[in-house]
Amino acid sequence: MGLNSKIDFKKELLPNGFRMPGWIIVAVCTVLLAANQWMQAFEVDPNPIGMEPPAYKLLLLFCLLIGLSFVAFSRDRDEDDFTIKLRFSSLVAGVFFGALLAINFDIASVIDEGGHDFPAIYSIVGVLALYIVTYRIQKYSYPLAKSHHKKLKD
Protein backbone atom coordinates (compact mmCIF):
# COMPACT_ATOMS: atom_id res chain seq x y z
CA MET A 1 0.00 0.00 0.00
CA GLY A 2 1.64 3.24 -1.15
CA LEU A 3 1.40 6.70 0.26
CA ASN A 4 -1.12 7.74 -2.38
CA SER A 5 -3.45 4.81 -1.70
CA LYS A 6 -6.91 5.80 -0.55
CA ILE A 7 -8.12 4.15 2.65
CA ASP A 8 -11.83 3.47 2.96
CA PHE A 9 -12.46 4.53 6.56
CA LYS A 10 -16.11 3.59 6.29
CA LYS A 11 -15.10 -0.07 6.38
CA GLU A 12 -12.89 0.50 9.43
CA LEU A 13 -15.72 1.81 11.63
CA LEU A 14 -18.19 -0.29 13.61
CA PRO A 15 -21.73 -0.67 12.23
CA ASN A 16 -24.26 1.98 13.22
CA GLY A 17 -26.05 -0.47 15.52
CA PHE A 18 -23.25 -0.26 18.08
CA ARG A 19 -24.02 3.37 18.95
CA MET A 20 -27.17 2.82 21.05
CA PRO A 21 -25.71 -0.01 23.20
CA GLY A 22 -22.66 2.21 23.66
CA TRP A 23 -24.78 5.10 24.97
CA ILE A 24 -26.59 2.70 27.34
CA ILE A 25 -23.27 1.40 28.70
CA VAL A 26 -21.99 4.98 29.11
CA ALA A 27 -25.15 6.04 30.96
CA VAL A 28 -25.16 3.04 33.32
CA CYS A 29 -21.44 3.33 34.10
CA THR A 30 -21.70 7.08 34.68
CA VAL A 31 -24.59 6.61 37.13
CA LEU A 32 -22.76 3.80 38.95
CA LEU A 33 -19.53 5.82 39.16
CA ALA A 34 -21.43 8.84 40.52
CA ALA A 35 -23.23 6.63 43.05
CA ASN A 36 -19.89 5.10 44.03
CA GLN A 37 -18.39 8.56 44.64
CA TRP A 38 -21.47 9.67 46.59
CA MET A 39 -21.40 6.56 48.81
CA GLN A 40 -17.68 7.02 49.49
CA ALA A 41 -18.29 10.67 50.44
CA PHE A 42 -20.91 9.63 53.00
CA GLU A 43 -18.84 6.65 54.17
CA VAL A 44 -21.38 4.08 53.02
CA ASP A 45 -20.00 0.81 51.65
CA PRO A 46 -20.09 1.47 47.87
CA ASN A 47 -19.38 -2.14 47.04
CA PRO A 48 -22.54 -3.80 45.70
CA ILE A 49 -20.89 -6.89 44.20
CA GLY A 50 -18.30 -7.83 46.81
CA MET A 51 -15.23 -6.44 45.04
CA GLU A 52 -12.59 -4.22 46.57
CA PRO A 53 -13.50 -0.55 45.95
CA PRO A 54 -10.51 0.23 43.65
CA ALA A 55 -11.21 -2.89 41.57
CA TYR A 56 -14.92 -2.03 41.32
CA LYS A 57 -14.12 1.52 40.19
CA LEU A 58 -11.59 0.23 37.66
CA LEU A 59 -14.17 -2.25 36.32
CA LEU A 60 -16.68 0.57 35.87
CA LEU A 61 -14.06 2.72 34.12
CA PHE A 62 -13.19 -0.17 31.81
CA CYS A 63 -16.88 -0.65 30.93
CA LEU A 64 -17.16 3.13 30.39
CA LEU A 65 -14.20 2.90 28.02
CA ILE A 66 -15.92 0.14 26.04
CA GLY A 67 -19.15 2.14 25.83
CA LEU A 68 -17.34 5.30 24.72
CA SER A 69 -15.46 3.27 22.10
CA PHE A 70 -18.76 1.94 20.72
CA VAL A 71 -20.15 5.46 20.48
CA ALA A 72 -16.98 7.03 19.09
CA PHE A 73 -16.18 4.45 16.44
CA SER A 74 -19.61 3.51 15.12
CA ARG A 75 -20.42 4.61 11.62
CA ASP A 76 -23.00 7.31 10.89
CA ARG A 77 -25.80 6.52 8.47
CA ASP A 78 -24.67 9.28 6.13
CA GLU A 79 -20.91 8.78 6.32
CA ASP A 80 -18.98 10.62 3.57
CA ASP A 81 -15.53 12.09 3.00
CA PHE A 82 -16.38 15.30 4.83
CA THR A 83 -17.50 13.45 7.98
CA ILE A 84 -14.22 11.51 7.85
CA LYS A 85 -12.41 14.87 7.92
CA LEU A 86 -14.59 15.92 10.87
CA ARG A 87 -13.70 12.68 12.65
CA PHE A 88 -10.00 13.23 12.07
CA SER A 89 -10.00 16.82 13.34
CA SER A 90 -11.99 15.76 16.41
CA LEU A 91 -9.60 12.89 17.08
CA VAL A 92 -6.62 15.25 16.91
CA ALA A 93 -8.29 17.55 19.47
CA GLY A 94 -9.06 14.57 21.73
CA VAL A 95 -5.52 13.21 21.62
CA PHE A 96 -4.09 16.68 22.31
CA PHE A 97 -6.42 17.04 25.31
CA GLY A 98 -5.47 13.58 26.61
CA ALA A 99 -1.77 14.40 26.36
CA LEU A 100 -2.27 17.65 28.26
CA LEU A 101 -4.33 15.84 30.88
CA ALA A 102 -1.66 13.17 31.40
CA ILE A 103 1.14 15.74 31.57
CA ASN A 104 -0.85 17.85 34.03
CA PHE A 105 -1.38 14.93 36.40
CA ASP A 106 2.24 13.81 36.05
CA ILE A 107 3.40 17.28 37.07
CA ALA A 108 0.91 17.35 39.95
CA SER A 109 2.17 13.96 41.11
CA VAL A 110 5.77 15.20 41.13
CA ILE A 111 4.87 18.40 42.98
CA ASP A 112 2.75 16.52 45.52
CA GLU A 113 5.43 13.81 45.80
CA GLY A 114 3.36 10.96 44.46
CA GLY A 115 0.13 11.96 46.18
CA HIS A 116 -2.02 11.54 43.08
CA ASP A 117 -2.84 8.21 41.53
CA PHE A 118 -3.77 8.81 37.90
CA PRO A 119 -4.24 5.62 35.91
CA ALA A 120 -3.86 5.90 32.15
CA ILE A 121 -7.50 4.86 31.73
CA TYR A 122 -8.59 8.36 32.83
CA SER A 123 -6.56 9.85 30.00
CA ILE A 124 -8.04 7.42 27.47
CA VAL A 125 -11.59 8.08 28.69
CA GLY A 126 -10.89 11.83 28.43
CA VAL A 127 -9.63 11.44 24.86
CA LEU A 128 -12.71 9.49 23.77
CA ALA A 129 -15.14 11.79 25.59
CA LEU A 130 -13.64 14.93 24.01
CA TYR A 131 -13.55 13.23 20.61
CA ILE A 132 -17.26 12.42 20.86
CA VAL A 133 -18.17 15.93 22.04
CA THR A 134 -16.18 17.75 19.37
CA TYR A 135 -17.35 15.42 16.61
CA ARG A 136 -20.99 15.78 17.62
CA ILE A 137 -20.72 19.57 17.80
CA GLN A 138 -19.14 19.66 14.35
CA LYS A 139 -21.68 17.15 13.07
CA TYR A 140 -24.54 19.29 14.47
CA SER A 141 -23.27 22.25 12.45
CA TYR A 142 -22.60 19.90 9.53
CA PRO A 143 -24.91 21.54 6.93
CA LEU A 144 -23.22 24.91 7.48
CA ALA A 145 -19.75 23.41 7.45
CA LYS A 146 -20.44 21.31 4.36
CA SER A 147 -21.79 24.28 2.40
CA HIS A 148 -18.73 26.33 3.43
CA HIS A 149 -16.46 23.44 2.37
CA LYS A 150 -18.13 23.28 -1.07
CA LYS A 151 -17.70 27.05 -1.54
CA LEU A 152 -13.98 26.73 -0.81
CA LYS A 153 -13.64 23.91 -3.38
CA ASP A 154 -15.33 25.93 -6.15
Side-chain angles (χ1 to χ4, degrees):
M1 186 177 275
L3 291 176
N4 294 330
S5 301
K6 185 167 177 146
I7 299 172
D8 187 11
F9 288 104
K10 296 175 198 172
K11 292 180 183 176
E12 304 299 326
L13 297 171
L14 294 170
N16 191 19
F18 279 81
R19 180 168 291 131
M20 185 55 68
W23 280 121
I24 292 169
I25 293 169
V26 167
V28 168
C29 288
T30 303
V31 167
L32 290 175
L33 280 168
N36 186 29
Q37 289 297 109
W38 181 80
M39 289 177 167
Q40 283 180 348
F42 290 105
E43 298 178 0
V44 178
D45 183 24
N47 194 354
I49 58 174
M51 293 177 71
E52 293 294 321
Y56 176 66
K57 188 174 182 179
L58 195 60
L59 176 68
L60 287 177
L61 285 170
F62 182 71
C63 291
L64 181 65
L65 181 64
I66 290 172
L68 286 171
S69 297
F70 281 1
V71 172
F73 301 118
S74 60
R75 180 176 30 240
D76 287 342
R77 289 191 180 130
D78 57 344
E79 198 78 32
D80 61 1
D81 289 339
F82 189 70
T83 55
I84 296 298
K85 289 178 185 177
L86 291 179
R87 283 184 184 276
F88 179 72
S89 68
S90 300
L91 189 59
V92 167
V95 169
F96 183 70
F97 171 76
L100 287 177
L101 192 65
I103 290 169
N104 181 33
F105 275 98
D106 284 343
I107 291 172
S109 178
V110 168
I111 291 172
D112 199 20
E113 297 175 2
H116 297 285
D117 183 25
F118 185 72
I121 195 164
Y122 289 134
S123 184
I124 297 170
V125 166
V127 166
L128 285 175
L130 187 68
Y131 165 74
I132 292 168
V133 168
T134 56
Y135 176 70
R136 292 292 158 202
I137 288 172
Q138 289 177 347
K139 183 77 173 166
Y140 178 72
S141 61
Y142 178 71
L144 295 173
K146 191 170 184 178
S147 66
H148 179 69
H149 181 68
K150 283 185 180 179
K151 287 179 186 176
L152 290 177
K153 274 186 152 180
D154 295 335

